[in-house]
Short mmCIF file of all heavy atoms in Angstrom, two decimals:
data_model
loop_
_atom_site.label_atom_id
_atom_site.label_comp_id
_atom_site.label_asym_id
_atom_site.label_seq_id
_atom_site.Cartn_x
_atom_site.Cartn_y
_atom_site.Cartn_z
N MET A 839 -54.13 18.16 3.31
CA MET A 839 -55.06 17.19 3.84
C MET A 839 -54.43 15.74 3.98
O MET A 839 -53.62 15.37 3.12
CB MET A 839 -56.32 17.05 2.89
CG MET A 839 -57.45 16.28 3.42
SD MET A 839 -58.86 16.23 2.55
CE MET A 839 -59.75 17.54 3.33
N ALA A 840 -54.64 15.14 5.05
CA ALA A 840 -53.98 13.84 5.31
C ALA A 840 -54.67 12.76 4.49
O ALA A 840 -55.89 12.80 4.23
CB ALA A 840 -54.22 13.54 6.83
N LYS A 841 -53.85 12.00 4.03
CA LYS A 841 -54.26 10.74 3.24
C LYS A 841 -54.80 9.71 4.26
O LYS A 841 -54.44 9.62 5.38
CB LYS A 841 -53.04 10.13 2.54
CG LYS A 841 -52.54 10.76 1.43
CD LYS A 841 -51.49 10.19 0.71
CE LYS A 841 -50.93 10.92 -0.38
NZ LYS A 841 -49.92 10.22 -1.17
N LYS A 842 -55.74 9.01 3.73
CA LYS A 842 -56.49 7.87 4.47
C LYS A 842 -55.63 6.67 4.52
O LYS A 842 -54.98 6.33 3.36
CB LYS A 842 -57.84 7.52 3.91
CG LYS A 842 -58.84 8.67 4.27
CD LYS A 842 -60.17 8.21 3.85
CE LYS A 842 -61.22 9.19 4.32
NZ LYS A 842 -62.59 8.75 3.87
N LYS A 843 -55.43 6.01 5.52
CA LYS A 843 -54.61 4.77 5.68
C LYS A 843 -55.44 3.62 5.08
O LYS A 843 -56.58 3.45 5.43
CB LYS A 843 -54.30 4.67 7.08
CG LYS A 843 -53.14 3.57 7.33
CD LYS A 843 -52.82 3.59 8.78
CE LYS A 843 -51.63 2.62 9.10
NZ LYS A 843 -51.23 2.51 10.51
N LYS A 844 -54.76 2.80 4.40
CA LYS A 844 -55.25 1.55 3.94
C LYS A 844 -55.49 0.60 5.02
O LYS A 844 -54.71 0.49 6.01
CB LYS A 844 -54.37 0.78 2.91
CG LYS A 844 -54.36 1.42 1.50
CD LYS A 844 -53.58 0.62 0.66
CE LYS A 844 -53.53 1.01 -0.72
NZ LYS A 844 -52.85 0.15 -1.78
N LYS A 845 -56.69 0.07 4.96
CA LYS A 845 -57.07 -0.92 6.15
C LYS A 845 -56.59 -2.37 5.97
O LYS A 845 -56.41 -2.96 7.05
CB LYS A 845 -58.63 -0.82 6.27
CG LYS A 845 -59.12 0.46 6.88
CD LYS A 845 -60.49 0.38 7.28
CE LYS A 845 -61.01 1.66 7.80
NZ LYS A 845 -62.30 1.64 8.42
N LYS A 846 -56.46 -2.67 4.79
CA LYS A 846 -56.09 -4.13 4.52
C LYS A 846 -54.65 -4.14 3.95
O LYS A 846 -54.32 -4.87 2.99
CB LYS A 846 -57.10 -4.64 3.42
CG LYS A 846 -58.58 -4.62 3.96
CD LYS A 846 -59.18 -6.01 3.82
CE LYS A 846 -60.63 -5.66 4.29
NZ LYS A 846 -61.17 -6.89 4.69
N TRP A 847 -53.67 -3.54 4.54
CA TRP A 847 -52.36 -3.43 4.02
C TRP A 847 -51.65 -4.81 4.24
O TRP A 847 -50.79 -5.07 3.39
CB TRP A 847 -51.59 -2.29 4.84
CG TRP A 847 -51.38 -2.60 6.25
CD1 TRP A 847 -52.18 -2.17 7.24
CD2 TRP A 847 -50.38 -3.30 6.87
NE1 TRP A 847 -51.88 -2.56 8.51
CE2 TRP A 847 -50.66 -3.31 8.26
CE3 TRP A 847 -49.27 -4.05 6.49
CZ2 TRP A 847 -49.80 -3.86 9.20
CZ3 TRP A 847 -48.39 -4.50 7.34
CH2 TRP A 847 -48.75 -4.52 8.76
N ILE A 848 -51.96 -5.56 5.18
CA ILE A 848 -51.26 -6.83 5.56
C ILE A 848 -51.62 -7.85 4.39
O ILE A 848 -50.84 -8.75 4.13
CB ILE A 848 -51.44 -7.27 6.99
CG1 ILE A 848 -50.56 -8.30 7.38
CG2 ILE A 848 -52.96 -7.78 7.04
CD1 ILE A 848 -49.11 -7.74 7.65
N LYS A 849 -52.81 -7.68 3.80
CA LYS A 849 -53.20 -8.61 2.80
C LYS A 849 -52.16 -8.64 1.60
O LYS A 849 -51.91 -9.58 1.10
CB LYS A 849 -54.58 -8.30 2.34
CG LYS A 849 -55.22 -9.26 1.39
CD LYS A 849 -56.60 -8.92 1.17
CE LYS A 849 -57.28 -10.05 0.18
NZ LYS A 849 -58.61 -9.68 -0.07
N GLY A 850 -51.62 -7.47 1.26
CA GLY A 850 -50.81 -7.30 0.26
C GLY A 850 -49.35 -7.67 0.58
O GLY A 850 -48.53 -8.05 -0.35
N ALA A 851 -49.11 -7.75 1.85
CA ALA A 851 -47.82 -8.02 2.41
C ALA A 851 -47.52 -9.66 2.34
O ALA A 851 -46.36 -10.01 2.34
CB ALA A 851 -47.48 -7.53 3.74
N ILE A 852 -48.53 -10.48 2.53
CA ILE A 852 -48.54 -11.72 2.48
C ILE A 852 -48.40 -12.32 1.11
O ILE A 852 -49.37 -12.14 0.29
CB ILE A 852 -49.57 -12.46 3.29
CG1 ILE A 852 -49.56 -11.78 4.76
CG2 ILE A 852 -49.59 -13.94 3.31
CD1 ILE A 852 -50.83 -12.34 5.60
N LYS A 853 -47.26 -12.94 0.62
CA LYS A 853 -47.14 -13.39 -0.73
C LYS A 853 -47.81 -14.71 -1.05
O LYS A 853 -48.42 -14.85 -2.05
CB LYS A 853 -45.50 -13.61 -0.98
CG LYS A 853 -44.77 -12.35 -0.72
CD LYS A 853 -44.91 -11.47 -1.85
CE LYS A 853 -43.88 -10.39 -1.72
NZ LYS A 853 -44.39 -9.04 -1.74
N ASN A 854 -47.75 -15.68 -0.10
CA ASN A 854 -48.29 -16.99 -0.32
C ASN A 854 -49.27 -17.41 0.78
O ASN A 854 -48.91 -18.04 1.76
CB ASN A 854 -47.23 -18.07 -0.34
CG ASN A 854 -46.33 -17.83 -1.54
OD1 ASN A 854 -46.84 -17.63 -2.63
ND2 ASN A 854 -45.04 -17.86 -1.37
N PRO A 855 -50.55 -16.81 0.86
CA PRO A 855 -51.31 -17.09 1.98
C PRO A 855 -51.71 -18.62 2.09
O PRO A 855 -51.88 -19.31 1.01
CB PRO A 855 -52.60 -16.28 1.68
CG PRO A 855 -52.46 -15.91 0.24
CD PRO A 855 -51.09 -16.02 -0.15
N GLY A 856 -51.64 -19.07 3.25
CA GLY A 856 -52.02 -20.49 3.58
C GLY A 856 -50.93 -21.53 3.35
O GLY A 856 -51.13 -22.73 3.72
N SER A 857 -49.71 -21.02 3.09
CA SER A 857 -48.56 -21.99 2.81
C SER A 857 -48.05 -22.54 4.19
O SER A 857 -47.73 -23.74 4.19
CB SER A 857 -47.40 -21.32 2.13
OG SER A 857 -46.98 -20.17 2.72
N PHE A 858 -48.03 -21.69 5.19
CA PHE A 858 -47.56 -22.09 6.52
C PHE A 858 -48.58 -23.04 7.12
O PHE A 858 -48.32 -24.08 7.80
CB PHE A 858 -47.22 -20.98 7.55
CG PHE A 858 -46.50 -21.44 8.81
CD1 PHE A 858 -45.35 -21.99 8.65
CD2 PHE A 858 -47.15 -21.31 9.95
CE1 PHE A 858 -44.74 -22.36 9.87
CE2 PHE A 858 -46.65 -21.67 11.05
CZ PHE A 858 -45.28 -22.25 11.03
N THR A 859 -49.87 -22.74 6.84
CA THR A 859 -50.90 -23.70 7.31
C THR A 859 -50.83 -25.10 6.69
O THR A 859 -50.92 -26.13 7.50
CB THR A 859 -52.35 -23.03 7.11
OG1 THR A 859 -52.45 -21.68 7.67
CG2 THR A 859 -53.46 -23.94 7.58
N ALA A 860 -50.51 -25.08 5.36
CA ALA A 860 -50.40 -26.37 4.76
C ALA A 860 -49.12 -27.10 5.28
O ALA A 860 -49.31 -28.34 5.41
CB ALA A 860 -50.18 -26.10 3.22
N TRP A 861 -48.00 -26.39 5.45
CA TRP A 861 -46.98 -27.03 6.19
C TRP A 861 -47.18 -27.64 7.45
O TRP A 861 -46.78 -28.79 7.71
CB TRP A 861 -45.74 -25.99 6.25
CG TRP A 861 -44.48 -26.44 6.69
CD1 TRP A 861 -43.55 -27.07 5.95
CD2 TRP A 861 -44.03 -26.48 8.10
NE1 TRP A 861 -42.37 -27.38 6.74
CE2 TRP A 861 -42.66 -27.05 7.96
CE3 TRP A 861 -44.54 -25.98 9.31
CZ2 TRP A 861 -41.90 -27.17 9.12
CZ3 TRP A 861 -43.63 -26.10 10.38
CH2 TRP A 861 -42.44 -26.71 10.30
N CYS A 862 -47.91 -26.93 8.30
CA CYS A 862 -48.42 -27.37 9.73
C CYS A 862 -49.18 -28.63 9.50
O CYS A 862 -49.04 -29.66 10.20
CB CYS A 862 -48.98 -26.29 10.43
SG CYS A 862 -48.05 -24.98 10.91
N LYS A 863 -50.20 -28.54 8.64
CA LYS A 863 -51.03 -29.78 8.49
C LYS A 863 -50.29 -30.99 7.96
O LYS A 863 -50.75 -32.16 8.25
CB LYS A 863 -52.26 -29.33 7.53
CG LYS A 863 -53.26 -28.43 8.19
CD LYS A 863 -54.44 -28.09 7.35
CE LYS A 863 -55.42 -27.29 8.13
NZ LYS A 863 -56.66 -27.08 7.33
N ALA A 864 -49.34 -30.79 7.09
CA ALA A 864 -48.59 -31.89 6.58
C ALA A 864 -47.69 -32.58 7.68
O ALA A 864 -47.44 -33.77 7.54
CB ALA A 864 -47.59 -31.47 5.46
N ARG A 865 -47.44 -31.96 8.76
CA ARG A 865 -46.83 -32.40 9.97
C ARG A 865 -47.72 -32.98 11.00
O ARG A 865 -47.27 -33.39 12.05
CB ARG A 865 -45.84 -31.37 10.52
CG ARG A 865 -44.54 -31.48 9.68
CD ARG A 865 -43.81 -30.18 9.66
NE ARG A 865 -42.59 -30.23 8.81
CZ ARG A 865 -42.73 -30.30 7.56
NH1 ARG A 865 -43.79 -30.46 6.94
NH2 ARG A 865 -41.54 -30.41 6.89
N GLY A 866 -48.99 -33.05 10.68
CA GLY A 866 -49.95 -33.58 11.62
C GLY A 866 -50.68 -32.73 12.59
O GLY A 866 -51.43 -33.11 13.39
N TYR A 867 -50.47 -31.42 12.52
CA TYR A 867 -51.14 -30.43 13.29
C TYR A 867 -52.52 -30.12 12.69
O TYR A 867 -52.75 -30.28 11.39
CB TYR A 867 -50.30 -29.21 13.48
CG TYR A 867 -49.01 -29.33 14.19
CD1 TYR A 867 -47.79 -29.33 13.48
CD2 TYR A 867 -49.01 -29.50 15.50
CE1 TYR A 867 -46.64 -29.54 14.03
CE2 TYR A 867 -47.75 -29.56 16.24
CZ TYR A 867 -46.68 -29.66 15.40
OH TYR A 867 -45.38 -29.75 16.14
N LYS A 868 -53.49 -29.71 13.39
CA LYS A 868 -54.74 -29.39 12.93
C LYS A 868 -54.88 -28.02 12.21
O LYS A 868 -55.84 -27.59 11.64
CB LYS A 868 -55.91 -29.40 14.08
CG LYS A 868 -56.06 -30.96 14.63
CD LYS A 868 -57.14 -31.00 15.49
CE LYS A 868 -57.28 -32.38 15.88
NZ LYS A 868 -58.52 -32.52 16.84
N GLY A 869 -53.76 -27.23 12.38
CA GLY A 869 -53.67 -25.96 11.80
C GLY A 869 -52.43 -25.29 12.35
O GLY A 869 -51.60 -25.92 12.90
N VAL A 870 -52.39 -24.00 12.42
CA VAL A 870 -51.29 -23.25 13.01
C VAL A 870 -51.42 -23.10 14.33
O VAL A 870 -52.33 -22.32 14.95
CB VAL A 870 -51.11 -21.77 12.19
CG1 VAL A 870 -49.96 -21.10 12.94
CG2 VAL A 870 -51.03 -21.90 10.75
N THR A 871 -50.71 -23.90 15.19
CA THR A 871 -50.75 -23.90 16.65
C THR A 871 -49.44 -23.33 17.20
O THR A 871 -48.37 -23.20 16.58
CB THR A 871 -50.96 -25.36 17.11
OG1 THR A 871 -49.86 -26.13 16.73
CG2 THR A 871 -52.14 -26.06 16.61
N ALA A 872 -49.42 -23.15 18.47
CA ALA A 872 -48.16 -22.65 19.09
C ALA A 872 -47.02 -23.68 18.86
O ALA A 872 -45.84 -23.35 18.77
CB ALA A 872 -48.38 -22.44 20.57
N GLU A 873 -47.34 -24.93 18.95
CA GLU A 873 -46.32 -26.06 18.78
C GLU A 873 -45.79 -26.04 17.37
O GLU A 873 -44.62 -26.13 17.19
CB GLU A 873 -46.98 -27.42 19.08
CG GLU A 873 -47.23 -27.57 20.56
CD GLU A 873 -48.75 -27.14 20.85
OE1 GLU A 873 -49.51 -26.91 19.92
OE2 GLU A 873 -48.95 -26.83 22.05
N CYS A 874 -46.70 -25.81 16.44
CA CYS A 874 -46.27 -25.76 14.91
C CYS A 874 -45.39 -24.51 14.75
O CYS A 874 -44.41 -24.63 14.03
CB CYS A 874 -47.47 -25.66 14.07
SG CYS A 874 -47.06 -25.76 12.33
N ILE A 875 -45.73 -23.40 15.37
CA ILE A 875 -44.87 -22.20 15.15
C ILE A 875 -43.59 -22.43 15.70
O ILE A 875 -42.55 -22.14 15.17
CB ILE A 875 -45.48 -20.99 15.83
CG1 ILE A 875 -46.79 -20.67 14.97
CG2 ILE A 875 -44.67 -19.83 15.98
CD1 ILE A 875 -47.70 -19.55 15.64
N ALA A 876 -43.55 -23.11 17.03
CA ALA A 876 -42.23 -23.38 17.61
C ALA A 876 -41.32 -24.33 16.73
O ALA A 876 -40.02 -24.15 16.61
CB ALA A 876 -42.41 -23.96 18.97
N GLU A 877 -42.01 -25.23 16.19
CA GLU A 877 -41.31 -26.29 15.30
C GLU A 877 -40.78 -25.60 14.04
O GLU A 877 -39.67 -25.77 13.46
CB GLU A 877 -42.21 -27.42 14.84
CG GLU A 877 -41.49 -28.46 14.02
CD GLU A 877 -42.36 -29.63 13.56
OE1 GLU A 877 -43.42 -29.96 14.25
OE2 GLU A 877 -42.12 -30.29 12.64
N GLY A 878 -41.65 -24.67 13.50
CA GLY A 878 -41.16 -23.89 12.41
C GLY A 878 -40.01 -23.00 12.62
O GLY A 878 -39.14 -22.74 11.78
N LYS A 879 -40.02 -22.28 13.83
CA LYS A 879 -38.81 -21.49 14.08
C LYS A 879 -37.53 -22.25 14.27
O LYS A 879 -36.46 -21.65 14.22
CB LYS A 879 -39.29 -20.71 15.33
CG LYS A 879 -40.32 -19.66 15.15
CD LYS A 879 -40.69 -19.00 16.38
CE LYS A 879 -39.94 -17.76 16.39
NZ LYS A 879 -40.24 -16.81 17.54
N ARG A 880 -37.58 -23.62 14.61
CA ARG A 880 -36.48 -24.40 14.67
C ARG A 880 -36.00 -25.08 13.34
O ARG A 880 -35.00 -25.73 13.31
CB ARG A 880 -36.64 -25.55 15.75
CG ARG A 880 -36.77 -25.00 17.15
CD ARG A 880 -36.83 -26.21 18.08
NE ARG A 880 -37.84 -27.24 17.76
CZ ARG A 880 -38.97 -27.28 18.30
NH1 ARG A 880 -39.44 -26.37 19.12
NH2 ARG A 880 -39.88 -28.16 17.97
N SER A 881 -36.80 -24.89 12.22
CA SER A 881 -36.53 -25.41 10.94
C SER A 881 -35.25 -25.02 10.51
O SER A 881 -34.80 -23.90 10.70
CB SER A 881 -37.72 -25.17 10.02
OG SER A 881 -37.43 -25.60 8.81
N LYS A 882 -34.53 -25.92 9.66
CA LYS A 882 -33.35 -25.62 8.86
C LYS A 882 -33.78 -24.63 7.70
O LYS A 882 -32.84 -23.95 7.28
CB LYS A 882 -32.73 -26.86 8.40
CG LYS A 882 -32.06 -27.71 9.65
CD LYS A 882 -31.36 -28.95 9.06
CE LYS A 882 -30.98 -29.75 10.18
NZ LYS A 882 -30.31 -30.98 9.65
N ASN A 883 -34.89 -24.89 7.24
CA ASN A 883 -35.34 -23.99 5.99
C ASN A 883 -35.65 -22.54 6.41
O ASN A 883 -36.49 -22.28 7.23
CB ASN A 883 -36.51 -24.72 5.40
CG ASN A 883 -36.94 -24.08 4.12
OD1 ASN A 883 -36.52 -22.94 3.84
ND2 ASN A 883 -37.74 -24.87 3.24
N ALA A 884 -34.92 -21.68 5.78
CA ALA A 884 -35.05 -20.26 6.20
C ALA A 884 -36.46 -19.64 5.85
O ALA A 884 -37.00 -18.89 6.55
CB ALA A 884 -34.00 -19.39 5.42
N THR A 885 -36.98 -20.14 4.70
CA THR A 885 -38.46 -19.80 4.38
C THR A 885 -39.44 -20.08 5.42
O THR A 885 -40.37 -19.42 5.84
CB THR A 885 -38.85 -20.38 3.02
OG1 THR A 885 -37.85 -20.01 2.10
CG2 THR A 885 -40.14 -19.77 2.58
N ILE A 886 -39.32 -21.42 5.87
CA ILE A 886 -40.34 -21.84 7.08
C ILE A 886 -40.00 -21.14 8.28
O ILE A 886 -41.05 -20.65 8.96
CB ILE A 886 -40.10 -23.34 7.22
CG1 ILE A 886 -40.36 -24.12 6.02
CG2 ILE A 886 -40.94 -23.74 8.39
CD1 ILE A 886 -41.78 -24.03 5.45
N ARG A 887 -38.86 -20.69 8.50
CA ARG A 887 -38.59 -19.91 9.89
C ARG A 887 -39.18 -18.50 9.72
O ARG A 887 -39.85 -17.96 10.67
CB ARG A 887 -37.06 -19.75 10.01
CG ARG A 887 -36.48 -20.96 10.57
CD ARG A 887 -35.04 -20.64 11.15
NE ARG A 887 -34.17 -20.02 10.23
CZ ARG A 887 -33.26 -20.42 9.41
NH1 ARG A 887 -33.13 -21.75 9.27
NH2 ARG A 887 -32.55 -19.70 8.66
N ARG A 888 -39.14 -17.93 8.48
CA ARG A 888 -39.73 -16.59 8.23
C ARG A 888 -41.22 -16.66 8.44
O ARG A 888 -41.91 -15.79 8.92
CB ARG A 888 -39.27 -16.09 7.00
CG ARG A 888 -37.90 -15.74 6.80
CD ARG A 888 -37.66 -14.91 5.56
NE ARG A 888 -36.21 -14.79 5.32
CZ ARG A 888 -35.62 -15.45 4.24
NH1 ARG A 888 -36.23 -16.13 3.40
NH2 ARG A 888 -34.18 -15.31 4.28
N ARG A 889 -41.91 -17.73 7.75
CA ARG A 889 -43.31 -17.97 7.87
C ARG A 889 -43.71 -18.06 9.30
O ARG A 889 -44.79 -17.70 9.72
CB ARG A 889 -43.76 -19.05 6.89
CG ARG A 889 -43.59 -18.73 5.56
CD ARG A 889 -43.90 -19.86 4.57
NE ARG A 889 -43.76 -19.59 3.25
CZ ARG A 889 -43.74 -20.50 2.26
NH1 ARG A 889 -43.85 -21.65 2.47
NH2 ARG A 889 -43.64 -19.94 1.05
N ALA A 890 -42.99 -18.82 10.12
CA ALA A 890 -43.38 -19.04 11.36
C ALA A 890 -43.18 -17.65 12.11
O ALA A 890 -44.19 -17.53 13.01
CB ALA A 890 -42.34 -20.07 12.06
N ASN A 891 -42.27 -16.99 11.92
CA ASN A 891 -42.17 -15.68 12.64
C ASN A 891 -43.36 -14.73 12.22
O ASN A 891 -43.94 -14.03 13.11
CB ASN A 891 -40.82 -14.94 12.29
CG ASN A 891 -39.66 -15.52 13.13
OD1 ASN A 891 -39.86 -15.81 14.26
ND2 ASN A 891 -38.52 -15.69 12.54
N LEU A 892 -43.68 -14.75 10.94
CA LEU A 892 -44.83 -13.90 10.49
C LEU A 892 -46.07 -14.52 11.19
O LEU A 892 -46.93 -13.61 11.55
CB LEU A 892 -44.95 -14.10 8.97
CG LEU A 892 -46.20 -13.36 8.41
CD1 LEU A 892 -45.96 -11.76 8.64
CD2 LEU A 892 -46.19 -13.69 6.92
N ALA A 893 -46.29 -15.78 11.27
CA ALA A 893 -47.47 -16.30 11.98
C ALA A 893 -47.58 -15.90 13.37
O ALA A 893 -48.62 -15.49 13.99
CB ALA A 893 -47.48 -17.77 11.84
N GLN A 894 -46.54 -15.82 14.10
CA GLN A 894 -46.52 -15.42 15.52
C GLN A 894 -46.70 -13.87 15.55
O GLN A 894 -47.51 -13.40 16.50
CB GLN A 894 -45.03 -15.73 16.10
CG GLN A 894 -44.97 -15.32 17.53
CD GLN A 894 -43.71 -15.90 18.21
OE1 GLN A 894 -42.68 -15.91 17.36
NE2 GLN A 894 -43.61 -16.12 19.38
N THR A 895 -46.25 -13.17 14.58
CA THR A 895 -46.45 -11.68 14.59
C THR A 895 -47.93 -11.34 14.45
O THR A 895 -48.55 -10.52 14.99
CB THR A 895 -45.57 -10.90 13.55
OG1 THR A 895 -44.21 -11.25 13.78
CG2 THR A 895 -45.79 -9.51 13.47
N LEU A 896 -48.53 -12.02 13.48
CA LEU A 896 -49.94 -11.81 13.03
C LEU A 896 -50.78 -12.33 14.18
O LEU A 896 -51.84 -11.62 14.47
CB LEU A 896 -50.26 -12.53 11.82
CG LEU A 896 -49.55 -12.03 10.52
CD1 LEU A 896 -50.02 -12.93 9.34
CD2 LEU A 896 -49.95 -10.62 10.37
N ARG A 897 -50.51 -13.24 15.08
CA ARG A 897 -51.25 -13.60 16.13
C ARG A 897 -51.26 -12.49 17.17
O ARG A 897 -52.24 -12.23 17.76
CB ARG A 897 -50.66 -14.96 16.78
CG ARG A 897 -51.18 -16.17 16.14
CD ARG A 897 -50.75 -17.36 16.98
NE ARG A 897 -51.57 -18.42 16.47
CZ ARG A 897 -51.69 -19.62 17.18
NH1 ARG A 897 -51.14 -19.82 18.37
NH2 ARG A 897 -52.38 -20.47 16.62
N GLY A 898 -50.06 -11.89 17.40
CA GLY A 898 -49.93 -10.80 18.30
C GLY A 898 -50.78 -9.66 17.96
O GLY A 898 -51.40 -8.99 18.63
N MET A 899 -50.80 -9.36 16.63
CA MET A 899 -51.55 -8.15 16.22
C MET A 899 -53.07 -8.38 16.33
O MET A 899 -53.75 -7.46 16.71
CB MET A 899 -51.18 -8.09 14.67
CG MET A 899 -49.85 -7.41 14.31
SD MET A 899 -49.59 -7.39 12.55
CE MET A 899 -50.74 -6.12 12.07
N SER A 900 -53.58 -9.62 16.11
CA SER A 900 -55.02 -9.89 16.27
C SER A 900 -55.47 -9.72 17.73
O SER A 900 -56.45 -9.25 18.01
CB SER A 900 -55.29 -11.20 15.80
OG SER A 900 -54.79 -12.26 16.54
N LYS A 901 -54.52 -10.01 18.62
CA LYS A 901 -54.84 -9.97 20.04
C LYS A 901 -54.76 -8.49 20.46
O LYS A 901 -55.62 -8.07 21.43
CB LYS A 901 -53.91 -10.72 20.91
CG LYS A 901 -54.06 -12.18 20.81
CD LYS A 901 -53.15 -13.08 21.62
CE LYS A 901 -53.43 -14.51 21.27
NZ LYS A 901 -52.42 -15.34 22.03
N LYS A 902 -54.08 -7.68 19.96
CA LYS A 902 -53.97 -6.26 20.42
C LYS A 902 -55.12 -5.38 19.69
O LYS A 902 -55.24 -4.29 20.19
CB LYS A 902 -52.59 -5.69 19.81
CG LYS A 902 -51.42 -6.19 20.49
CD LYS A 902 -50.20 -5.68 20.06
CE LYS A 902 -48.97 -6.34 20.65
NZ LYS A 902 -47.69 -5.91 20.03
N LYS A 903 -55.77 -5.91 18.78
CA LYS A 903 -56.79 -5.17 17.95
C LYS A 903 -57.84 -4.39 18.91
O LYS A 903 -58.14 -3.30 18.73
CB LYS A 903 -57.55 -6.06 16.90
CG LYS A 903 -58.44 -5.27 16.06
CD LYS A 903 -58.85 -6.17 15.00
CE LYS A 903 -59.54 -5.37 13.86
NZ LYS A 903 -59.94 -6.32 12.74
N GLY A 904 -58.32 -5.12 19.94
CA GLY A 904 -59.40 -4.46 20.78
C GLY A 904 -58.81 -3.72 21.94
O GLY A 904 -59.48 -3.01 22.71
N LYS A 905 -57.39 -3.60 22.02
CA LYS A 905 -56.85 -2.81 23.20
C LYS A 905 -56.25 -1.50 22.68
O LYS A 905 -55.14 -1.23 23.09
CB LYS A 905 -55.77 -3.79 23.79
CG LYS A 905 -56.31 -5.00 24.50
CD LYS A 905 -55.11 -5.78 24.99
CE LYS A 905 -55.62 -7.09 25.67
NZ LYS A 905 -54.48 -7.86 26.27
N LYS A 906 -57.00 -0.78 21.81
CA LYS A 906 -56.49 0.60 21.38
C LYS A 906 -56.60 1.53 22.58
O LYS A 906 -57.61 1.50 23.40
CB LYS A 906 -57.33 1.03 20.27
CG LYS A 906 -57.07 0.13 18.96
CD LYS A 906 -57.66 0.75 17.76
CE LYS A 906 -57.43 0.04 16.45
NZ LYS A 906 -58.06 0.60 15.36
N LYS A 907 -55.57 2.42 22.58
CA LYS A 907 -55.63 3.47 23.61
C LYS A 907 -56.46 4.65 23.15
O LYS A 907 -56.56 5.01 22.14
CB LYS A 907 -54.09 3.88 23.90
CG LYS A 907 -53.36 2.87 24.55
CD LYS A 907 -51.98 3.28 24.85
CE LYS A 907 -51.18 2.26 25.66
NZ LYS A 907 -49.90 2.68 25.98
#
């Protein structure tokens, strides 16, 4: 029998939820915006770059949710 897939798997994958949002707000953005993600991806700090990439990935996942085949 096939195992059921966990529905909230990404919740466990995110170690520090809200940390990238806090970083964006500290720089004057109202939240995680496309401009903030672009600035994060140019950051010298590797952790910020990873968080920006994750934010971009999660945005793409949320848009694909309604487009199942």
Side-chain angles (χ1 to χ4, degrees):
M839 190 171 265
K841 290 184 179 180
K842 288 188 177 182
K843 193 174 182 181
K844 283 187 177 181
K845 292 189 177 192
K846 304 231 179 203
W847 63 271
I848 197 70
K849 188 175 183 180
I852 299 172
K853 304 279 189 237
N854 299 310
S857 59
F858 189 65
T859 303
W861 184 83
C862 288
K863 286 185 177 183
R865 275 152 184 71
Y867 297 101
K868 292 187 177 184
V870 180
T871 61
E873 295 83 20
C874 181
I875 291 173
E877 183 180 338
K879 289 177 94 174
R880 291 189 307 266
S881 175
K882 290 181 182 179
N883 188 339
T885 303
I886 298 300
R887 286 195 310 266
R888 287 188 196 117
R889 289 176 181 166
N891 281 323
L892 178 63
Q894 187 175 24
T895 301
L896 293 176
R897 276 191 167 196
M899 288 175 66
S900 68
K901 290 180 182 176
K902 292 178 186 175
K903 192 172 187 175
K905 297 181 182 180
K906 288 186 178 179
K907 290 183 178 181

